[in-house]
Amino acid sequence: MNPSSYRADIDGLRAVAVLSVVAFHAFPGYFPGGFIGVDIFFVISGFLISSILFDSLKKGSFNVLDFYKRRIKRIFPALLCVLLSCYLFSWFVLFPDEFARLGKHMAAGAAFVSNIVLLYESGYFDTSAQTKPLLHLWSLGIEEQFYIFWPFLLWVFWKARFNVFVCAAVLALVSFALNLAGVRDAQTTTFYSPLTRFWELLAGGLLAYVHHGQAGTPLKARSICPAFFNSEHFVRFVFSSPQVKNMQAALGSLLMAGGFVVISEHKAFPGWLALLPVLGTVLIISAGRAAWINRVLLSNRLLVWVGLISFPLYLWHWPLLSFLHILNAGNGMWRLLAVVLAGVLAWLTYVFVERPLRFARHGRLALLLCVLMSGMFFVGLVTEKGDGFESRATIRGFNAARASLSWPGHNNFEATCIKRFKGSGYCTLAKDAPATVALIGDSQANHFFPGLAAQYLDVGENLVNLGCGACPPLIGTTSRYRGKTPIAMQTMDLVVDMVVKDPGIHTVILAANWHLYLQGTRFSDESKTWPLWEIRSTDAPLVENNNAVFAIQMAKTVEKLQEAGKKLIVIKQIPELNYLPSICLPPRPFSLAARNPQCLTPVARVDRYLDQYKSSFDSFFNKRPNIIVWDPKPTLCDGQFCRSMKGGDTLYRDELHLSEFGSIEVGKGLSGNLSRSDPGK
């Protein structure tokens, strides 16, 4: 794009986008809708890049190789700096499992497929996302995947003399429709999938098409209605009227501001809500540089400067904030310092790396950058395959202590079980033999498996662990955070059916995060800002009270199991922690948080929390004395405190789940109560 076409207001708009994202990541409680800055970026990118493509097509100078060379010189230098810096820092501070994951994400980032990799992990707003320093590269993946196809498609449409506007509009509508179809039932997939995000970049591309159509020589086969678009009246009124331009910019600003206020991580997004930032950005850009908002506010020198460093600022800010969280130093002052440091690093990157290399005329620079990025890809891959290099001298002495926080994959699923019980999320057998006892529930049931399996083997029984994460052991029930995608509860229905039909299974143990499903809340202070958790009956969808749904669906579940002759044991919830158990261990080689050697929680506080769900829970089971209810709390708490450590080992692997060692200890509390004839007594 030549200098005369430069628009300072678009750099100002970039600043609004990046500052909103940074504010959301640093202070989510104060800027809950800031993450829509990425959607603003998508529209801006689609507009600017498509403008370059339309300009080259008009002039007959379109060259796809030159296009990708420019993209490489624009994107790779700053990205290489951030990837290399994150890798070197991680070498000294991350434990093997963390470093292996960073290697995987670095390889994905270097290959521009981060969004695809993250799609199969936790969601963008999940707590675990804070421990992924390269999480933010998902948006770069969306962009570059779009630009793999978009230039080629434009060239085909142009050469074939198709109506480019109509073709692009159809693609955008299809992408938008896929977004609407998936946002309720598959929100994580819809958030990360390129197919449900391309419409945002295409919105910018459509705007670029219209803009180029009226800015100069009419484009071939460009208009939906040639007589109207080419009319002098349309051009003069829509594209030249100061009043219309000011109205466009004002309406666009209102839509964008509305998006920041209305949208939050608790809403189904993208979906319809994504129209607020997308249409707002389209209106602001289409208003042109002469509109008052664009000319005075967005062209402000400070905003323009931030816009110029927006790309490196976006790249730097999240790794710094993520590493702070990993190092247990995520309070407000540290976060503010991280934002300031990100700004300094962004400016240095822009001045000494991005600009010099972007405008360098060295003929083989793009090839060299590709080689370096390929190197980063292979280093990341080797790091993942090497399990995070456990032999690193910097962390070798900490591995033994850290091992107590690990949770082996064979505790979640293994091949022998999967062959016999198909369709269960969790699937593990104590030994390769027919199951006699079934443990059913969510991840809190799953964490009991190692300890219970050992105890049952001692009395000649074989335990099978079945269920899925965030799935209460209730048939005909959906489960989710309010406004989020429901968990596919067909899994639990399937599990209960398999257990009912298995004559060898005589006893069923139900366990879960009961407080979450009955009260909708968690123990940690951080969770106070989260939406309530909801369970809903598929048979009685009008019942909207968690306690009522629990009573209805638990009665049906119990009845189904007991009619099949199964004896029932129900395990109450374990006490939760309000801190990460990792702070109870020797700190990392580099840590910003003090170690907590005691790691104790007052039992009075734990009781206040657990008592909230016990009223409905106890009321249900007190009426059914033939069901054994066992409480693991006495194993983890005394009269004064609940502890997370025992003899130098952690009983928990995170705030909510037992470690393997903790599971064994809690399992011992059930020993002596596992008689086949009358379990639990």
Side-chain angles (χ1 to χ4, degrees):
M1 196 175 290
N2 59 59
S4 64
S5 64
Y6 170 71
R7 288 181 53 176
D9 59 310
I10 291 183
D11 270 328
L13 195 56
R14 274 194 179 118
V16 172
V18 74
L19 290 175
S20 67
V21 174
V22 171
F24 167 73
H25 284 152
F27 308 103
Y30 296 99
F31 303 97
F35 63 89
I36 66 171
V38 171
D39 303 87
I40 299 172
F41 271 129
F42 284 159
V43 179
I44 294 173
S45 176
F47 174 76
L48 294 177
I49 301 302
S50 297
S51 295
I52 294 171
L53 292 171
F54 285 130
D55 187 58
S56 64
L57 287 168
K58 282 174 61 177
K59 294 176 180 178
S61 59
F62 176 79
N63 186 308
V64 70
L65 190 59
D66 286 343
F67 171 79
Y68 288 122
K69 282 182 179 179
R70 287 195 299 270
R71 287 299 294 170
I72 289 168
K73 291 166 69 176
R74 168 76 174 94
I75 300 296
F76 281 29
L79 180 58
L80 282 167
C81 282
V82 172
L83 290 178
L84 180 61
S85 299
C86 287
Y87 188 83
L88 292 176
F89 185 73
S90 299
W91 179 275
F92 295 99
V93 302
L94 295 189
F95 290 111
D97 59 324
E98 299 169 331
F99 196 42
R101 185 174 64 187
L102 180 121
K104 179 176 73 171
H105 291 168
M106 188 173 81
F112 298 98
V113 292
S114 290
N115 57 314
I116 305 299
V117 170
L118 292 167
L119 189 152
Y120 294 99
E121 298 181 0
S122 58
Y124 180 72
F125 303 110
D126 293 344
T127 306
S128 62
Q130 299 180 59
T131 62
K132 300 175 182 178
L134 300 177
L135 172 82
H136 63 322
L137 298 186
W138 74 268
S139 63
L140 205 56
I142 296 281
E143 278 196 65
E144 299 316 309
Q145 288 154 27
F146 177 75
Y147 293 126
I148 289 174
F149 301 104
W150 183 231
F152 175 73
L153 286 175
L154 275 186
W155 179 81
V156 171
F157 295 157
W158 194 272
K159 291 297 181 182
R161 294 181 177 273
F162 292 157
N163 189 314
V164 177
F165 188 96
V166 171
C167 291
V170 168
L171 291 175
L173 288 172
V174 170
S175 175
F176 183 68
L178 291 173
N179 153 55
L180 295 181
V183 72
R184 296 299 302 182
D185 296 326
Q187 189 171 343
T188 298
T189 300
T190 305
F191 190 93
Y192 286 129
S193 172
L195 297 179
T196 54
R197 288 289 195 162
F198 279 173
W199 68 275
E200 300 182 37
L201 291 121
L202 285 166
L206 288 166
L207 177 60
Y209 183 81
V210 173
H211 179 267
H212 271 69
Q214 58 84 27
T217 305
L219 296 172
K220 298 178 181 180
R222 70 173 178 84
S223 57
I224 304 172
C225 182
F228 180 64
F229 272 86
N230 291 330
S231 68
E232 182 180 352
H233 172 76
F234 179 84
V235 172
R236 183 171 61 250
F237 180 74
V238 175
F239 294 106
S240 303
S241 169
Q243 294 87 351
V244 172
K245 290 178 179 294
N246 286 328
M247 287 174 59
Q248 281 181 248
L251 179 58
S253 299
L254 286 174
L255 288 174
M256 194 177 293
F260 288 130
V261 173
V262 172
I263 297 170
S264 74
E265 61 184 282
H266 310 316
K267 301 290 180 65
F269 192 85
W272 288 103
L273 289 174
L275 287 172
L276 291 174
V278 171
L279 292 182
T281 306
V282 167
L283 287 169
I284 291 173
I285 295 175
S286 65
R289 69 188 87 189
W292 185 86
I293 288 176
N294 298 43
R295 185 181 73 254
V296 176
L297 299 181
L298 293 179
S299 296
N300 173 278
R301 286 188 177 183
L302 180 59
L303 276 183
V304 170
W305 178 78
V306 174
L308 289 172
I309 66 168
S310 60
F311 180 58
L313 178 57
Y314 179 79
L315 291 180
W316 280 112
H317 85 281
W318 177 248
L320 292 173
L321 292 169
S322 178
F323 280 124
L324 278 183
H325 181 81
I326 292 170
L327 298 176
N328 296 309
N331 63 46
M333 182 56 66
W334 279 109
R335 286 174 171 268
L336 184 60
L337 290 173
V339 171
V340 173
L341 179 58
V344 173
L345 290 172
W347 178 77
L348 291 172
T349 304
Y350 175 74
V351 172
F352 296 106
V353 179
E354 184 180 323
R355 277 188 63 84
L357 294 180
R358 181 180 180 184
F359 298 108
R361 297 185 178 275
H362 193 286
R364 296 187 177 181
L365 177 59
L367 178 61
L368 176 61
L369 291 171
C370 284
V371 170
L372 292 174
M373 192 63 76
S374 299
M376 297 303 297
F377 170 81
F378 284 110
V379 168
L381 210 59
V382 169
T383 302
E384 183 198 10
K385 299 302 180 185
D387 296 324
F389 300 135
E390 295 181 355
S391 60
R392 280 176 291 144
T394 53
I395 53 91
R396 191 180 301 138
F398 301 85
N399 283 341
R402 174 73 180 181
S404 62
L405 295 173
S406 65
W407 186 253
H410 61 75
N411 284 337
N412 294 333
F413 46 82
E414 43 90 15
T416 303
C417 180
I418 293 172
K419 290 178 182 178
R420 300 181 183 184
F421 299 91
K422 296 180 180 179
S424 177
Y426 297 126
C427 194
T428 47
L429 272 165
K431 64 178 180 179
D432 186 4
T436 58
V437 181
L439 171 64
I440 300 177
D442 60 8
S443 59
Q444 284 217 358
N446 182 58
H447 72 187
F448 287 125
F449 176 74
L452 293 180
Q455 296 302 319
Y456 273 110
L457 285 174
D458 285 346
V459 294
E461 304 285 0
N462 190 25
L463 181 69
V464 62
N465 168 35
L466 303 170
C468 58
C471 300
L474 305 171
I475 59 175
T477 308
T478 62
S479 174
R480 67 173 180 178
Y481 278 118
R482 180 175 294 171
K484 297 288 187 177
T485 304
I487 304 297
M489 294 306 295
Q490 295 87 345
T491 300
M492 196 56 67
D493 293 344
L494 177 65
V495 163
V496 173
D497 282 340
M498 287 190 292
V499 170
V500 164
K501 294 175 183 177
D502 191 329
I505 296 176
H506 57 75
T507 300
V508 176
I509 304 172
L510 305 180
N513 186 351
W514 301 115
H515 189 285
L516 179 67
Y517 303 131
L518 285 159
Q519 294 298 307
T521 58
R522 288 270 311 278
F523 184 64
S524 67
D525 292 331
E526 183 183 35
S527 68
K528 293 176 182 178
T529 62
W530 300 351
L532 291 175
W533 191 277
E534 298 176 335
I535 58 172
R536 294 293 179 262
S537 169
T538 56
D539 299 326
L542 297 181
V543 180
E544 296 185 350
N545 178 277
N546 282 17
N547 289 275
V549 173
F550 169 81
I552 294 170
Q553 300 308 125
M554 180 58 82
K556 293 180 180 180
T557 305
V558 166
E559 181 181 5
K560 186 170 184 176
L561 290 168
Q562 289 185 328
E563 284 181 351
K566 312 300 181 184
K567 297 176 182 178
L568 295 182
I569 299 175
V570 177
I571 302 180
K572 288 188 174 182
Q573 182 173 328
I574 65 166
E576 295 181 44
L577 305 180
N578 195 32
Y579 54 86
L580 286 170
S582 57
I583 67 173
C584 309
L585 299 172
R588 301 168 187 270
F590 175 70
S591 179
L592 297 174
R595 181 185 174 192
N596 179 358
Q598 292 185 317
C599 290
L600 301 174
T601 304
V603 73
R605 180 180 179 183
V606 172
D607 284 341
R608 284 195 301 271
Y609 173 76
L610 294 179
D611 286 347
Q612 293 171 2
Y613 90 89
K614 284 185 177 179
S615 175
S616 297
F617 186 89
D618 290 346
S619 174
F620 180 90
F621 288 107
N622 286 342
K623 299 174 184 176
R624 295 164 174 83
N626 58 336
I627 299 176
I628 306 303
V629 178
W630 181 68
D631 190 352
K633 178 172 163 271
T635 307
L636 299 165
C637 309
D638 54 29
Q640 290 184 296
F641 297 101
C642 294
R643 58 190 178 277
S644 60
M645 295 286 292
K646 184 176 181 180
D649 291 313
T650 59
L651 295 163
Y652 291 74
R653 68 179 189 268
D654 57 34
E655 306 101 314
L656 188 61
H657 300 99
L658 296 171
S659 65
E660 192 166 26
F661 170 74
S663 180
I664 297 295
E665 291 297 307
V666 170
K668 292 176 183 177
L670 196 57
S671 63
N673 299 319
L674 305 178
S675 167
R676 174 169 180 162
S677 61
D678 202 357
K681 288 189 177 180

